[in-house]
Amino acid sequence: MPNPFLLKSMDEAVKLIIKHIKEESHICIYGDYDVDGASSTSILARFLRNFTNNFFIFIPDRIKDGYGPNLKIFEDIASKGVKLIITVDCGTTSFEPIEYAKSKNIDVVVIDHHQSTETLPIANAIVNPNRFDETSNLTYLCAAGVAFLVLSGIVTRFREEDFFKKKNIQEPNLLNYLDLVALGTVCDVVPLQGLNRAFVFQGLKVLQKRNNLGIKITYIEQDKPRGLPDAFVLGEKFIGKDNVAMILGDNFFYGQNLTTKLLDCAKIKNGAKVLLHNVQTPELFGVAKVDKNNKIIQLKEKPKKFISNNAITGLYFFDNKVVQYSKKLKPSKRGEVEIIDLLLRYKKNNKLSADFIGRGGAWLDTGSIEDYYKTIAFVQAIENRQGFKIACICLLYTSPSPRDGL
């Protein structure tokens, strides 16, 4: 492991980040949308959580925002009261946005590995083994590797001042971050030589332990069956002021552009929306009849007379009023509050709409053993024929549309 302070601007970057950690400043980590950018962003975020929660992450949209910082986004970040922006896997050539940040008295640290011009932005520090005036031999590092060296530098300085003992903070074990360093290194296709080889070799060992799930799962249990809407009452504190989605655990969804459709549904600000799917046996499901604007005009649970072929799937989107409405529901004859009654409440206020999985999409209910095996067969057929894994996280990241599934 080389001395991280061999890299130009490392000392300035480390001192500045430490200063803002101690001052509990509002910090923005500005990442990139590829795997190296996401990995290095995650490394920094996981590290900062040992000291502060007063930071947020921004990952630009590949299509809408393009690569690297831009002036419009930096203006928005500045409006949030940020005191430090750390760009990772970008920023070396972002002259105008960084100049704007500095004009607003916002400190900027660039952690990058892309080739620079012979002029650098006026950031407080630019740690980049490929800046034009760099003299180290670490030009082969990706952003995740450079970010790891920055963390090493921070820990070194904290040790020198006995920071961890004085503040009674457990010193982060930097080895635990090497799984993400290895991921960024391999996916950015940088040479597996020198320090990169060591990062990947040790990172694979960490990866095998599978301690970094990458998501945080919180849950609460019903002490007895009280119906689906009771979940919103139990989760009131978790929901807060946000809108909320509910998916039934025995439902399986698959379809072209499913992710795009769900993100669109999640934008609902006022009312509720359900996902519908055309079925041949509507009498076995809750069904909905919609008008030409996809407003739901009729709902019926397992209708004996035909209303519609549009079955209500187990995926629902609600505004924040769902908690209030759920509290006022009365139990049915079976002693539980019913999801159909919650939907009827929204319908009564003309606030219930629908969207469709669409032609070529699939919705399977795995509530019975027979249907469970049917779902297994469906997944097996798709994966064997088309050669990819449905809902595989690493594949979804690079190309969401053809592999979408829930």
Side-chain angles (χ1 to χ4, degrees):
M1 179 73 179
N3 180 354
F5 295 100
L6 291 176
L7 285 167
K8 287 188 180 297
S9 227
M10 178 65 81
D11 194 50
E12 292 86 347
V14 166
K15 286 179 180 178
L16 196 60
I17 294 172
I18 287 176
K19 170 181 176 289
H20 284 283
I21 288 175
K22 290 180 176 179
E23 294 177 356
E24 299 183 357
S25 302
H26 197 32
I27 300 171
C28 171
I29 304 173
Y30 192 109
D32 188 28
Y33 41 70
D34 71 355
V35 178
D36 185 30
S39 299
S40 49
T41 300
S42 299
I43 290 166
L44 279 171
R46 289 182 64 198
F47 181 81
L48 284 180
R49 286 195 187 100
N50 291 286
F51 313 101
T52 179
N53 288 314
N54 193 19
F55 69 90
F56 66 95
I57 292 168
F58 181 85
I59 301 291
D61 182 278
R62 182 192 297 264
I63 305 301
K64 184 177 68 174
D65 303 318
Y67 168 75
N70 66 57
L71 185 57
K72 182 179 179 181
I73 296 173
F74 263 41
E75 288 174 348
D76 182 61
I77 291 172
S79 71
K80 301 180 187 302
V82 166
K83 298 299 182 183
L84 171 65
I85 299 174
I86 306 173
T87 70
V88 284
D89 200 23
C90 59
T92 298
T93 57
S94 301
F95 292 90
E96 187 179 13
I98 291 176
E99 185 176 356
Y100 171 81
K102 295 295 293 177
S103 74
K104 297 297 181 180
N105 296 317
I106 299 172
D107 292 327
V108 180
V109 172
V110 174
I111 301 173
D112 197 6
H113 72 120
H114 293 99
Q115 198 72 42
S116 79
T117 62
E118 292 186 2
T119 305
L120 296 173
I122 58 170
N124 298 77
I126 300 175
V127 184
N128 182 345
N130 285 298
R131 53 184 280 176
F132 78 95
D133 57 347
E134 180 59 57
T135 57
S136 74
N137 62 349
L138 299 174
T139 55
Y140 53 79
L141 291 178
C142 68
V146 180
F148 184 83
L149 291 181
V150 173
L151 302 194
S152 177
I154 294 172
V155 169
T156 298
R157 293 293 185 249
F158 272 151
R159 285 176 181 168
E160 291 172 354
E161 60 181 83
D162 210 16
F163 175 85
F164 298 110
K165 185 176 181 180
K166 290 177 181 177
K167 295 294 184 179
N168 195 27
I169 295 175
Q170 178 70 39
E171 179 179 324
N173 184 353
L174 295 186
L175 290 177
N176 293 333
Y177 300 85
L178 286 177
D179 54 348
L180 291 173
V181 179
L183 180 65
T185 299
V186 171
C187 289
D188 223 43
V189 202
V190 289
L192 284 182
Q193 67 184 61
L195 189 55
N196 279 349
R197 182 172 290 275
F199 280 154
V200 173
F201 182 78
Q202 296 298 331
L204 289 175
K205 293 180 181 179
V206 178
L207 197 63
Q208 287 177 337
K209 297 178 181 178
R210 300 184 180 182
N211 291 330
N212 182 17
L213 183 61
I215 59 174
K216 181 180 180 181
I217 299 174
T218 57
Y219 67 93
I220 189 171
E221 297 180 4
Q222 287 179 324
D223 54 10
K224 63 179 181 180
R226 287 195 295 267
L228 296 177
D230 184 59
F232 302 116
V233 180
L234 291 174
E236 180 177 10
K237 185 177 180 181
F238 174 79
I239 294 169
K241 297 180 180 180
D242 293 330
N243 297 336
V244 63
M246 170 185 279
I247 181 171
L248 304 190
D250 59 359
N251 275 229
F252 174 89
F253 296 88
Y254 175 81
Q256 185 81 2
N257 296 321
L258 180 60
T259 298
T260 302
K261 184 175 291 293
L262 297 184
L263 288 172
D264 185 61
C265 289
K267 293 177 183 177
I268 189 168
K269 297 184 183 299
N270 186 14
K273 181 174 284 190
V274 297
L275 207 59
L276 303 181
H277 191 55
N278 190 275
V279 295
Q280 298 299 314
T281 54
E283 67 276 6
L284 300 179
F285 305 95
V287 298
K289 186 176 181 180
V290 300
D291 63 16
K292 61 181 181 179
N293 297 315
N294 283 347
K295 283 284 187 179
I296 294 179
I297 57 177
Q298 191 173 359
L299 287 172
K300 189 70 175 179
E301 183 70 27
K302 297 181 179 179
K304 295 180 179 179
K305 293 184 179 180
F306 178 80
I307 295 175
S308 165
N309 286 111
N310 297 321
I312 302 171
T313 70
L315 187 52
Y316 314 87
F317 298 85
F318 297 99
D319 63 17
N320 194 254
K321 293 178 182 177
V322 69
V323 177
Q324 172 191 340
Y325 289 165
S326 296
K327 287 180 177 180
K328 295 180 179 180
L329 294 177
K330 295 181 180 180
S332 65
K333 292 181 180 179
R334 63 174 183 159
E336 298 182 15
V337 289
E338 305 292 347
I339 190 70
I340 192 75
D341 292 332
L342 179 60
L343 297 177
L344 286 169
R345 176 61 188 268
Y346 277 95
K347 176 182 173 295
K348 181 180 179 181
N349 295 336
N350 197 31
K351 296 293 184 180
L352 182 61
S353 59
D355 206 336
F356 294 83
I357 297 176
R359 186 176 179 85
W363 166 59
L364 298 168
D365 189 330
T366 63
S368 69
I369 291 296
E370 181 182 359
D371 288 334
Y372 181 73
Y373 284 130
K374 287 180 180 178
T375 305
I376 291 174
F378 176 86
V379 172
Q380 186 179 43
I382 293 291
E383 293 188 346
N384 288 346
R385 182 62 62 87
Q386 299 188 10
F388 54 70
K389 297 292 184 182
I390 292 176
C392 176
I393 293 175
C394 62
L395 295 180
L396 279 171
Y397 184 85
T398 56
S399 182
S401 57
R403 306 177 173 91
D404 293 0
L406 288 173

